[in-house]
Amino acid sequence: MSMAHGRDRILVTGWFSLLHGEATAGDVLALARVEEVLRGAGLAYDVVWSPGFRADGTHFADVDPAAYSRLLFVCGPVHGPQVEELHRRFAHCVRIAVGVSVVDPASPAVTGFDRVLARDGAGAGPGLDLAARAPRLPGVPVVGVVLTHGQHEYGGRRRHAEVAAGLTRWLAGKDCARLELETRLDARDWRLCGTPAQLESVLARLDLVVTDRLHGLVLALRAGTPALVVDPVTGGAKVTAQARACGWPALVAAEAVARDPGPAGGEPGGREPGGRELERWWRWCLGEGRDAAARIGAGFRAADAVADAADGLVAALGAVRGTG
């Protein structure tokens, strides 16, 4: 945001500014495109944010309308009482809507603008949405999150709720794209995978899996994707055992995470021991852990793969038949 000085100030607003509006990725990218144009023209401006989206930003409660001579409304449909209220509150400003949809050209929300640079619905052919030409964004890790709240067989050793709360609070502070996943299959629920192949195809496209499930670990490694694993049982149980069987080191104990590791991005490495462990393994998984996961996944399918229980099945069946 460029802070303007003097009376010739531009206030940039949109549905991302309104108390009961919403900040969509498209709207915020449209804003970035407008900001790019304003900066290129040497025009100073302020952006108003909804307090529900950016608590640390400038909000309408902080704004003195008299300090502005122009108002820009960016993206989205121009309709409704909140937009009409902007016209009343900033009646002294030149008001321009840019990259918007015009649903009802006769609406006061539309006619209140001095100029409408519409993307559609204004009688002319549709124009390219502002988000399409927004500045290119840096890539962030795509992280699958596979958690369980069950496993009641562990009784008083269960720390599943605390582990899930600590992990998700920590993840909320990470700059990554989070994708909640389930190992449970259901062909009737479109939100879930219906076959193992569908889930494996998703896992193979991720940068990292964060999980407290045994099969979250195993299926991630099968797909060659590193897994940051937390055992949700005090003292360790099947998740810890499986990490050892796979030769996978990125394992954190329930006791560390359940102490509430705190949000990521605070003190370097996190204030709590669990936070430091999570941060350390996060960096490892996104670095050398990628090659380690690929090697382990390939090893599962190798001719000399580590034995599993099925390798002794035929002998066990023969032994049982021989004693029957």
Side-chain angles (χ1 to χ4, degrees), residues 30-293:
L31 167 64
R33 170 64 179 146
V34 167
E35 290 187 280
E36 180 182 53
V37 170
L38 295 177
R39 286 193 300 267
L43 297 171
Y45 63 91
D46 299 334
V47 177
V48 183
W49 294 99
S50 166
F53 178 65
R54 284 274 302 271
D56 59 341
T58 299
H59 310 140
F60 272 121
D62 309 318
V63 169
D64 176 11
Y68 298 92
S69 62
R70 290 169 286 182
L71 180 139
L72 297 182
F73 189 92
V74 179
C75 199
V78 280
H79 76 98
Q82 287 184 288
V83 178
E84 293 173 23
E85 175 59 26
L86 288 177
H87 293 312
R88 289 188 287 270
R89 188 174 179 192
F90 294 89
H92 62 285
C93 291
V94 173
R95 299 181 300 284
I96 298 174
V98 56
V100 297
S101 294
V102 177
V103 179
D104 178 7
S107 163
V110 177
T111 60
F113 286 105
D114 297 286
R115 185 82 183 272
V116 176
L117 305 175
R119 66 183 174 194
D120 58 73
L128 188 67
D129 183 76
L130 295 173
R133 291 182 56 198
R136 190 171 182 85
L137 301 175
V140 299
V142 181
V143 179
V145 183
V146 185
L147 302 176
T148 178
H149 299 278
Q151 301 179 346
H152 294 276
E153 62 270 24
Y154 290 103
R157 296 172 61 204
R158 294 180 71 255
R159 305 295 295 277
H160 295 64
E162 301 101 301
V163 164
L167 262 180
T168 52
R169 182 168 182 265
W170 175 75
L171 277 170
K174 300 299 293 182
D175 186 15
C176 64
R178 292 167 291 274
L179 182 63
E180 186 177 17
L181 296 174
E182 268 277 6
T183 58
R184 181 169 63 88
L185 303 177
D186 190 335
R188 298 163 300 177
D189 188 339
W190 67 269
R191 294 166 296 184
L192 298 176
C193 292
T195 68
Q198 293 172 10
L199 179 59
E200 192 163 285
S201 293
V202 175
L203 295 173
R205 287 163 171 79
L206 300 175
D207 295 304
L208 172 64
V209 170
V210 174
T211 186
D212 65 356
R213 302 199 71 152
L214 181 153
H215 281 126
L217 163 64
V218 173
L219 298 184
L221 294 181
R222 264 184 59 91
T225 300
L228 198 172
V229 187
V230 179
D231 192 321
V233 178
T234 299
K238 63 182 181 181
V239 172
T240 296
Q242 192 59 211
R244 290 173 180 164
C246 293
W248 185 250
L251 175 69
V252 181
E255 296 88 328
V257 176
R259 283 198 295 267
D260 184 2
E267 289 188 3
R271 184 183 296 273
E272 295 295 330
R276 289 196 293 271
E277 283 194 67
L278 290 171
E279 291 290 337
R280 176 167 68 93
W281 287 120
W282 174 275
R283 291 190 296 270
W284 183 84
C285 285
L286 292 176
E288 61 186 288
R290 295 173 185 262
D291 290 336

